[in-house]
Amino acid sequence: MRHKVYPDAKSALEGVLADGMMIMAGGFGLCGIPENLIAAIRDLGAKNLTCVSNNCGVDDFGLGILLANGQIKKMLSSYVGENKLFEKLYLAGELELEFNPQGTLAERIRAGGAGIPGFYTKTGYGTIIAEGKPTREFNGEHYVLETGLVADLSIIKAWKADKEGNLVYRKTARNFNPMMATAGKVTIAEVEELVEIGELDADTIHTPGIYVDRIVVSTGAEKRIEKVTTRKREEVK
C-alpha cells in the first residue's frame, strides 16, 4: 500500500507544486478551506497560478493571501464579492477572471472528475457568460456548451480521513471539496482527524481513498467566519 500521510503541508506539496499550474481549492467561502496547504503554497512561492474555487477568500485569508502575494494570475470563480484586492486587480487588468454561475462551476468540476469533456446547460444562454461558446437547441430550448475542468492539483479539506485517504466531510465543508477531489491529477487532502484504516464506517465515506494521493493533518486552523451575524437573545419571562 502506498504511504499517503505526510508530516506537514510543505512536504505534502513537494514534487507536485509548480509555477503556471491550475489548482482547485475546496471550500465554500471560508468554510472547509485547506488553510495549511494554502499557507504552504504562499511560503513555497509558486507563481502564475490559475485557481479554481468558489471564491478567492478575503483580503488576508484563504486564497486571498496568494492573491496578495502576486501568485495568482487567473481565477475561475462563481463569487468574488468579499475581496477588495480582487476587485482592484481585476479592474486594473492585472488579474484574469473566468466568471461562472455557481451551479455551472460545480458541474464543470464534477464533469472533469467523471471524464466528461463537456455538457450543455440553459444557465447563461443569451448573456455575457455564453459569449464565444457553442450553443444548441434541444426540444425548443436553447443551451450553451460548457467544458469539464481538470486541475493539475486539487487541495481539499475534510473532517476525517483514514490512512488510505477515505474522507468524511462535515456539513457545509462538503461543498466543492468532494468533486474537486475527483478532478485533480493529484489530490492532497488536509484533514482535521486521521484514523486507522477500517475505523471509518464505510457508509459514511464521501470520497473514496482512490482519489486521494496525499494526506496532511491540519494544525492551527482559524476557521474564520466572513461576516458574523447575530441576533439579540430574547429574554425569557
Side-chain angles (χ1 to χ4, degrees), residues 59-203:
D59 290 290
D60 62 344
F61 195 64
L63 288 179
I65 66 174
L66 301 185
L67 194 64
N69 207 33
Q71 293 173 260
I72 298 177
K73 73 167 185 179
K74 181 177 180 179
M75 284 295 306
L76 281 77
S77 296
S78 57
Y79 178 70
V80 297
E82 301 296 334
N83 195 312
K84 294 179 181 177
L85 178 60
F86 190 113
E87 178 185 10
K88 179 181 177 181
L89 293 174
Y90 174 68
L91 293 176
E94 298 174 17
L95 176 68
E96 297 177 50
L97 171 62
E98 188 172 332
F99 206 45
N100 289 244
Q102 188 152 275
T104 299
L105 180 64
E107 182 62 11
R108 291 184 72 189
I109 297 165
R110 191 205 68 81
I116 299 170
F119 60 93
Y120 283 96
T121 175
K122 292 173 69 175
T123 305
Y125 178 83
T127 73
I128 192 172
I129 295 294
E131 287 185 3
K133 298 176 182 177
T135 60
R136 188 171 172 183
E137 184 178 334
F138 294 93
N139 300 319
E141 300 284 348
H142 295 280
Y143 295 77
V144 58
L145 179 65
E146 296 283 357
T147 56
L149 291 171
V150 176
D152 300 301
L153 172 65
S154 285
I155 54 171
I156 62 171
K157 177 73 178 289
W159 175 39
K160 285 187 180 181
D162 65 19
K163 292 182 179 180
E164 180 56 22
N166 296 302
L167 306 179
V168 178
Y169 308 97
R170 188 171 183 272
K171 298 185 177 181
T172 309
R174 194 171 171 183
N175 280 293
F176 285 96
N177 278 302
M179 62 196 75
M180 286 185 174
T182 70
K185 295 176 183 177
V186 175
T187 295
I188 304 176
E190 179 179 324
V191 305
E192 295 185 32
E193 185 177 341
L194 184 64
V195 301
E196 295 297 326
I197 296 171
E199 289 189 34
L200 294 177
D201 180 349
D203 285 338

